[in-house]
Amino acid sequence: MFSCVGYAATAADARLGPIKLDRRDPGPDDVQIDILYCGVCHSDLHQARNEWQNTIFPCVPGHEIVGRVAKVGASVTRFHAGDLVGVGCMVDSCRECPSCREGFEQYCEVGFVPTYNGEERQGGGITFGGYSRAVVVDQAFVLKVPEKLGPAAVAPLLCAGITTYSPLRHWKVGPGQRVGIVGLGGLGHMGVKFARAFGAEVVLFTTSASKVADGLRLGAHEVVLSKDAGAMAKERGRFDFILDAVAANHDINAYLDLLKRDGTLVQVGAPETPLPVSVFSLLMKRRNFSGSLIGGIPETQEMLDFCGEHDITADIEMIRMDQIEDAYARMLRSDVKYRFVIDMATMPESV
Ligand code: NAP
Ligand code: ZN
Ligand code: ZN
């Protein structure tokens, strides 16, 4: 084992602060990574505050990790010291069930091992995430990051990127389709970029009048203020597909009603309380309501390669590690432009 410094929540109502963590020494299949940057996902906030009621404290969040390989185990062939790599929301899975075999590790029938707040398969310790200086991960869950992209702006691709890329691909979003993205936060702004890159007609729905110009700049063809009942009424029945990336409770039926016959609304935002669904919104036009969870390892690599080819990264605001509570407070006010990324050089050297 070796120790390194991380930033942890020690209780749901505690401010995050530095702690000393133990990381396993790299085994034959492990990659030890010096973390350069870690994105701040709203899921980090949900879990640090125990909003999903499954947090194991102390909790070191962070699943948008970019860093350089420090060393590798004897069986590691795909990575070498110095490589730029990424780690997303998963660090392991059973690797044997049908979902794992098909490369959908996020739907592992045994349950994947989350990058933080999970139980390691190697030794049974608790996983600690990317708000730390180093991490050790099995090579099967390490991604290659295109060197030509700025590494800080790549970090959010590891969760916000794949979580929006995967459903847009699965439901074959492309030219000739009118596609809605709901909520311009970390996920939503990547959803706008990908839907545009895939050739769809993109409409952003936002509660924030201050984000209209940014929505257009990021790739939306139109921006609708969702608090404007008249503007919402004009959009009824006009959408093939809608991706909802809202982190808080909101009226989902208002968006179901915007779908055409057989249209699909996919929920990726994960509010802490249930969203009531009006069955009439579904059955009147045989509409579909679904969900989607991050993406598998092969698709995450495909997404990173696509971003390398098309020069796509996140729009980020860099923060110091000790600004994390301010970043969380701004997230709760929807004041995110459009992903906070922690510069890990600002992590304290010792506790
Ligand atoms: P975020 O950066 O905080 O963005 C959320 C956006 O939702 C806000 O910027 C805001 O956009 C909108 N919003 C917030 N409160 C709202 C309200 N009361 N009513 C309507 N809109 C509201 O969060 P994120 O990191 O993108 O994450 C979004 C959600 O996805 C979180 O719940 C997160 O846990 C979840 N998530 C799910 C997956 C998955 O695999 N399914 C993966 C990662 C994250 P506007 O200002 O434009 O309205
Ligand atoms: Zn996330
Ligand atoms: Zn599995």
Side-chain angles (χ1 to χ4, degrees):
M1 304 248 260
F2 67 99
S3 29
C4 74
V5 182
Y7 239 61
T10 51
D13 57 358
R15 292 173 68 84
L16 273 71
I19 61 161
K20 201 174 108 191
L21 317 171
D22 287 328
R23 297 291 195 188
R24 66 175 187 266
D25 285 321
D29 283 302
D30 281 335
V31 179
Q32 182 176 325
I33 301 163
D34 289 333
I35 301 176
L36 296 171
Y37 301 103
C38 185
V40 179
C41 180
H42 205 112
S43 302
D44 299 350
L45 171 54
H46 288 308
Q47 295 196 62
R49 306 290 195 241
N50 198 19
E51 289 175 6
W52 295 337
Q53 286 153 32
N54 65 354
T55 306
I56 308 159
F57 292 104
C59 172
V60 175
H63 56 207
E64 294 184 337
I65 298 170
V66 167
R68 295 234 172 243
V69 174
K71 54 172 135 162
V72 298
S75 309
V76 175
T77 50
R78 292 171 51 237
F79 299 100
H80 302 96
D83 288 355
L84 191 64
V85 294
V87 177
C89 304
M90 302 182 283
V91 289
D92 216 335
S93 70
C94 89
R95 307 186 197 195
E96 286 168 0
C97 72
S99 294
C100 284
R101 286 218 195 99
E102 286 180 68
F104 300 121
E105 299 88 349
Q106 75 276 34
Y107 304 120
C108 173
E109 273 118 82
V110 180
F112 68 84
V113 180
T115 303
Y116 61 88
N117 200 41
E119 226 175 274
E120 283 189 323
R121 294 175 85 222
Q122 304 85 342
I126 298 304
T127 56
F128 295 120
Y131 297 6
S132 87
R133 284 192 165 258
V135 67
V136 176
V137 179
D138 188 289
Q139 60 174 334
F141 287 78
V142 178
L143 288 308
K144 290 179 193 281
V145 171
E147 283 279 354
K148 64 180 273 217
L149 299 175
V154 162
L157 301 179
L158 276 307
C159 175
I162 185 60
T163 301
T164 50
Y165 182 96
S166 182
L168 292 170
R169 282 296 197 215
H170 180 75
W171 275 276
K172 300 186 170 48
V173 162
Q177 292 180 6
R178 190 167 161 86
V179 169
I181 306 288
V182 187
L184 197 65
L187 268 56
H189 96 290
M190 291 310 307
V192 168
K193 290 187 187 204
F194 285 133
R196 177 71 187 243
F198 298 166
E201 185 188 344
V202 184
V203 181
L204 167 70
F205 292 90
T206 179
T207 59
S208 307
S210 62
K211 295 182 184 174
V212 172
D214 281 347
L216 296 169
R217 176 179 60 78
L218 292 164
H221 294 93
E222 282 173 49
V223 179
V224 174
L225 283 174
S226 51
K227 290 174 178 166
D228 178 343
M232 289 294 280
K234 279 192 206 140
E235 301 296 337
R236 285 178 150 238
R238 296 188 64 201
F239 284 82
D240 298 283
F241 183 87
I242 296 176
L243 188 68
D244 184 326
V246 173
N249 210 325
H250 59 292
D251 180 13
I252 195 74
N253 303 301
Y255 294 99
L256 288 170
D257 290 343
L258 305 189
L259 294 171
K260 294 178 184 169
R261 175 175 55 79
D262 289 323
T264 297
L265 186 152
V266 174
Q267 187 65 35
V268 286
E272 58 187 305
T273 50
L275 296 172
V277 173
S278 154
V279 290
F280 290 98
S281 295
L282 293 177
L283 57 85
M284 291 309 284
K285 288 190 189 290
R286 199 167 56 188
R287 295 167 172 132
N288 305 289
F289 181 39
S290 191
S292 183
L293 184 69
I294 47 175
I297 294 297
E299 193 174 42
T300 306
Q301 190 62 62
E302 176 193 304
M303 179 272 311
L304 287 168
D305 296 344
F306 179 88
C307 289
E309 278 161 38
H310 297 265
D311 223 4
I312 295 174
T313 51
D315 283 37
I316 63 165
E317 244 185 278
M318 193 89 83
I319 59 165
R320 295 191 316 269
M321 189 68 254
D322 64 7
Q323 292 175 303
I324 189 67
E325 289 287 344
D326 297 337
Y328 282 178
R330 283 186 50 194
M331 247 182 184
L332 289 173
R333 296 197 298 268
S334 297
D335 179 17
V336 180
K337 302 264 169 85
Y338 281 88
R339 194 59 137 189
F340 295 109
V341 171
I342 306 160
D343 178 356
M344 223 39 76
T346 64
M347 176 69 80
E349 296 272 343
S350 57
V351 180

